[in-house]
Amino acid sequence: MEALLTERETILAAFWMTIRLTAVSALGSLLLGTLLTALRVAPLASLRAAASTYVSVARNTPLTLVLLFTGLGVGANLGVELSDDIATNNFWLACIGLTAYTSAFVCEALRSGLNTVPVGQAEAARSLGLGFVQTLRLVTLPQAFRAVVAPLGSILIALTKNTTIALVVGVSEASVRMREMIETYGDQVIEIFLGFAAGFVLLCLPMGLLFGWLSRRTAVAR
Amino acid sequence: MSYANLYEPPGPRGVRRNRALAGAVTLVLLALAYVVYVRFDEKDQWAADKWLPLLRGDVWATFILPGLAGTLGAAVAGVLLAGLFGLVFAVARMSEHAWIRVPAAAVVEFFRSVPLLLLIFFAFFGSYMLIGVNISAFAAVVFGLTLYNGSVIAEIVRAGVLSLPKGQREAAYAVGMRKNQVMRLVLLPQGVRVMLPALVSQFIVLLKDSALGLIVGYDELVDRGLNGIAANFSNVIPAAILIAAIFIAINTSLDRLAHRLGA
């Protein structure tokens, strides 16, 4: 226990990084995922093809590889520099990688949500004279969102756990700190592991409860 | 699946507009691809000496095939053990005895919310202190994959069994089966069958997760590609593209299999 207590400030800093990675990537994935969903149902075949190719590539590539690719491809080779500070730059690169990966799952969830919206809803919208974007924005997507609150919650929880992989682009978050601590305080391996595990349980459990409650509240009565 | 109900079939003007838009989109995508191409070209990523090694037999024999064997080895071991773990804990969590049910639920919920990487680190860096020997990277990866995916599989199997009609259980009891027989012969086979697509999806997750082995130095595909091929030919980007393609090919075929099983 003493290791966890003496190092509590660096542990909290590591978890703060985990939380920031999660929050930024969650927001990014929600936006990009919604855009991808709109593209996948768009009237233009080229848009649909581009979006569905993107989704299947991102979904089927290991996150480790996605993040390595963000670091090496986007960072080193495309020369994208988001900050002069290396740590900040790595943070943003990790967010890009996590967003690129997670948004594919958000898109899949939202698309299945669109499937739950009865055909008549879109038909009624069209008969009122709404165009494609209006139908999507005002009628079908809001209902789709309400249908997929619970799956989006699972995606957010998975994202929280996935932020640990950001260490491959040099972001020092909870998993890095745990590894360093196991090496320093070898005699307290179990306590250290349980401490870090508890941190994730504390992050993920309320999210699960919140999204369960939200999904019951927002469910569309049909 | 059709979403054509979201918009009117376009008239003559709509068709022209759509064509113009499609052209514009294609141009934008091509422009984007061009920028990536040029930036990569400046770094010589398209040079033939970076791509040709990927076609050589000895590169496949030294790096790619052993890497693939490592990935598949960890995945197969993970699937078998996680499947076993999942079955045992699903049954335990449905037990009538609270002293089995409650601990099983706690174990499942715990391992579902701990990141896989923490489990791998715990096993890999902590094993010497815990059991007095350093376990191999393979063992650490399989340990993590088993506990993490096993607890997800336990939930999938449990959901499958709970989704079965009550009559199945009642009929089994009515013909005189014991509790153990009802579960083993009637409920589990049907529950697993109902959940086959979800199980295959979880196996894809497991296969992708085995790429974490790289972080503890397990010789799997990503490691062999980036630390093996790329270190020898300094062709990180081509190697990463090839490896991503291999993963995508394996996973999309598994995905198709899942869809076929679901149909």
Side-chain angles (χ1 to χ4, degrees):
Chain A
M1 271 309 273
E2 1 156 352
L4 290 173
L5 288 176
T6 43
E7 298 278 344
R8 64 180 179 280
E9 297 213 336
T10 57
I11 296 175
L12 286 177
F15 270 105
W16 177 230
M17 177 57 91
T18 299
I19 292 171
R20 280 189 301 165
L21 281 172
T22 309
V24 174
S25 314
L27 198 63
S29 314
L30 196 61
L31 294 175
L32 186 58
T34 312
L35 178 70
L36 283 169
T37 312
L39 293 180
R40 282 193 84 169
V41 299
L44 286 172
S46 57
L47 290 183
R48 288 198 299 267
S52 68
T53 311
Y54 175 84
V55 169
S56 65
V57 166
R59 267 183 62 218
N60 288 313
T61 311
L63 179 60
T64 321
L65 194 50
V66 172
L67 282 168
L68 284 170
F69 210 86
T70 327
L72 301 166
V74 179
N77 276 291
L78 287 181
V80 173
E81 261 191 47
L82 300 148
S83 166
D84 296 333
D85 179 39
I86 293 182
T88 319
N89 193 40
N90 288 345
F91 170 80
W92 287 109
L93 283 176
C95 288
I96 290 178
L98 286 166
T99 300
Y101 180 80
T102 312
S103 56
F105 292 88
V106 171
C107 174
E108 286 290 277
L110 265 182
R111 202 168 60 107
S112 69
L114 275 183
N115 284 333
T116 69
V117 181
V119 181
Q121 293 287 329
E123 286 172 351
R126 277 167 51 199
S127 72
L128 290 174
L130 301 188
F132 167 72
V133 176
Q134 285 174 309
T135 307
L136 207 57
R137 186 167 59 87
L138 300 169
V139 180
T140 44
L141 262 188
Q143 297 188 54
F145 265 111
R146 291 174 61 164
V148 296
V149 170
L152 286 181
S154 320
I155 293 173
L156 180 63
I157 291 174
L159 170 66
T160 311
K161 291 182 282 176
N162 280 340
T163 56
T164 51
I165 307 176
L167 80 113
V168 299
V169 285
V171 176
S172 175
E173 39 60 65
S175 67
V176 175
R177 192 73 202 104
M178 181 180 109
R179 174 186 179 164
E180 289 164 358
M181 281 186 63
I182 289 182
E183 278 164 2
T184 320
Y185 305 92
D187 54 332
Q188 300 170 46
V189 172
I190 292 185
E191 292 97 313
I192 291 170
F193 170 69
L194 287 179
F196 277 86
F200 278 95
V201 173
L202 277 178
L203 284 179
C204 295
L205 212 61
M207 272 190 231
L209 294 175
L210 175 71
F211 274 85
W213 174 77
L214 260 183
S215 73
R216 278 189 299 279
R217 259 199 74 134
T218 56
V220 183
R222 291 209 174 94
Chain B
M1 234 178 285
S2 167
Y3 299 95
N5 61 316
L6 284 168
Y7 42 84
E8 301 285 340
R13 266 180 61 203
V15 168
R16 277 201 299 277
R17 193 194 55 207
N18 280 357
R19 272 202 203 122
L21 268 171
V25 169
T26 316
L27 277 182
V28 169
L29 290 178
L30 281 178
L32 204 66
Y34 182 72
V35 170
V36 173
Y37 172 82
V38 168
R39 290 276 186 99
F40 277 15
D41 196 41
E42 282 166 9
K43 305 263 175 185
D44 273 339
Q45 291 298 348
W46 307 120
D49 60 335
K50 296 204 183 207
W51 286 86
L52 289 178
L54 299 181
L55 297 174
R56 275 170 33 187
D58 59 327
V59 169
W60 280 75
T62 331
F63 300 114
I64 300 176
L65 294 179
L68 192 58
T71 292
L72 294 179
V76 169
V79 164
L80 292 177
L81 290 173
L84 188 68
F85 182 96
L87 277 183
V88 169
F89 276 85
V91 172
R93 219 185 153 170
M94 288 183 285
S95 162
E96 285 172 10
H97 308 291
W99 62 272
I100 298 179
R101 194 174 60 231
V102 175
V107 167
V108 168
E109 291 300 332
F110 177 75
F111 286 116
R112 271 204 320 163
S113 45
V114 178
L116 177 54
L117 194 54
L118 293 196
L119 292 171
I120 295 177
F121 278 172
F122 174 63
F124 190 68
F125 297 108
S127 60
Y128 188 77
M129 275 316 295
L130 292 174
I131 51 172
V133 272
N134 277 315
I135 62 169
S136 66
F138 172 80
V141 171
V142 172
F143 170 85
L145 289 176
T146 300
L147 293 180
Y148 178 69
N149 292 285
S151 48
V152 178
I153 289 171
E155 285 301 275
I156 295 176
V157 171
R158 193 170 70 103
V161 169
L162 292 181
S163 76
L164 298 175
K166 225 168 60 184
Q168 292 293 331
R169 183 192 301 259
E170 289 167 355
Y173 279 123
V175 294
M177 286 189 182
R178 292 165 177 282
K179 241 181 356 192
N180 155 15
Q181 289 174 307
V182 174
M183 183 57 78
R184 196 163 43 85
L185 301 174
V186 179
L187 298 179
L188 270 188
Q190 294 188 75
V192 167
R193 187 132 184 226
V194 173
M195 286 304 189
L196 259 187
L199 286 172
V200 177
S201 308
Q202 192 57 36
F203 293 153
I204 296 180
V205 172
L206 190 151
L207 181 74
K208 289 197 300 175
D209 282 348
S210 71
L212 283 175
L214 155 96
I215 298 169
V216 287
Y218 174 55
D219 290 345
E220 47 71 58
L221 195 50
V222 178
D223 177 74
R224 295 290 74 209
L226 298 184
N227 296 332
I229 304 176
N232 277 291
F233 303 98
S234 55
N235 55 350
V236 172
I237 299 290
I241 291 176
L242 174 73
I243 282 153
I246 295 176
F247 266 105
I248 292 167
I250 298 175
N251 289 336
T252 37
S253 1
L254 283 174
D255 212 24
R256 279 215 192 106
L257 178 73
H259 274 287
R260 194 169 306 165
L261 291 172

